[in-house]
Amino acid sequence: MLTKEEALAIQAEWDRQQEVYLPCREEAASALVDLVGAPARVLDLAGGTGTLARRLLDRLPGAEVTVLDLSPALLAIAEASLPGVELVRADLGSAGWTEALPHKEYDFVLTMTAMHCFAAEPLRRLYREVRGVLAPGGVFANADRMPDAPVRTEPSDAWARWWAGIAAHPALEALVGHQNGASADFYPPVSWHVDALRAAGFAEVGTPWRRHDQAVVRAISSPGGPGTPRSSAPPA
Ligand SMILES: C[S@@+](CC[C@H](N)C(=O)[O-])C[C@H]1O[C@@H](n2cnc3c(N)ncnc32)[C@H](O)[C@@H]1O
C-alpha cells in the first residue's frame, strides 16, 4: 500500500524531474489555477500524479476535481496523495473516453505538459471532444511547450530514473510499464493551437501566459460552434 506521505514525496520527485524538461512548470501551473479563480468543476486531462489537481485544491479547496490519465501507476500516486479527487483511467487517443467521466459537463478542462503526446490529427479530434464535455461558456486551457522553432531537448535521464525509482515500491511495481502511452512529441507553436481550437468550435481563444517557449492557450466553449454536438443542459 502507498501511504499519503509516500505518494506526496513521489509526486514531489515527479515535479522535480518534470522541471528538467519544463523549467517554468510551476509558473504554468499557477497560471492555470489563476484561470479557475473560484471553486468550480474541473477536469485535469492527462493529469498524471495529480500535480495540477493538488495545486488547484490547495488554492480552491471547494473545487470538484476529476483527474484523467492512462497510466495506472500515476493514477495510484494521485489517488494516495489526493483523497476525494475523482480518478478516471481512460485513453484520450481512443473514441469514447468522455463516457468514462463521472460528470457530463465541466466548467474547466485543464491540461499541463501533456498535449504534446498527441500528433496533429488526434489532437484536433481531442480538442473537439473536449469542447463536448464543457458546460456552455466553459473554459479549456492547455499549458505546454509551444515553440516557434523546433524543440531542442537537452538529454536527461531524469524521466527514466524516476520510473525506475517508483518501480521499486511494492505497491507500484506491478503497475509500472502497464499502458503508459507513447508520446508523439508534437510541439507546434501557439498559432497552431489557436487555429485548432477555433476549428473545434471554441471562441475567445487567447494566450494568457507565456514564458520562453512555454505558453498557456485558453479557449471558451461557445454553444453552437462547429465542434462536437453536446447536451444543452445548463451547468450544474
Ligand atoms: C509529461 S506527463 C504530464 C502529467 C501531468 N499533467 C503533469 O503535468 O504532471 C504526460 C501525461 O500524459 C498521460 N498520457 C499520455 N498519453 C495519454 C493518453 N493517450 N490518454 C491519457 N493520458 C495520456 C501520461 O500518462 C502522463 O501522465
Side-chain angles (χ1 to χ4, degrees), residues 5 9 25 38 59 86 125 151 198:
E5 290 67 34
R25 186 165 170 276
R59 198 134 34 112
E86 290 172 297
R125 199 202 66 226
V151 158
R198 286 196 180 124

Side-chain angles (χ1 to χ4, degrees), residues 134 138-141 197 202-206 217-221:
L134 276 168
V139 173
F140 169 69
L197 287 163
F202 284 93
E204 297 180 46
V205 185
V217 170
R218 183 230 55 202
I220 299 180
S221 169

Side-chain angles (χ1 to χ4, degrees), residues 14-15 18 25 44-52 68-71 74 90-94 111-118 159 163 179-183:
W14 166 269
D15 292 337
Q18 284 287 291
R25 186 165 170 276
D44 179 6
L45 218 54
T49 64
T51 297
L52 179 61
L68 179 148
D69 203 275
L70 179 60
S71 163
L74 300 185
D91 182 356
L92 293 169
S94 71
T111 184
M112 184 166 84
T113 337
M115 292 299 98
H116 63 262
C117 293
F118 301 92
W159 173 265
W163 281 98
Q179 282 201 10
N180 289 317
S183 175

Side-chain angles (χ1 to χ4, degrees), residues 148-161:
D148 291 326
V151 158
R152 258 189 262 121
T153 323
E154 295 303 319
S156 166
D157 63 354
W159 173 265
R161 273 194 289 112

Side-chain angles (χ1 to χ4, degrees), residues 92-117:
L92 293 169
S94 71
W97 64 267
T98 57
E99 284 153 31
L101 296 172
H103 305 286
K104 281 204 181 325
E105 288 188 335
Y106 286 83
D107 303 311
F108 291 84
V109 177
L110 306 179
T111 184
M112 184 166 84
T113 337
M115 292 299 98
H116 63 262
C117 293

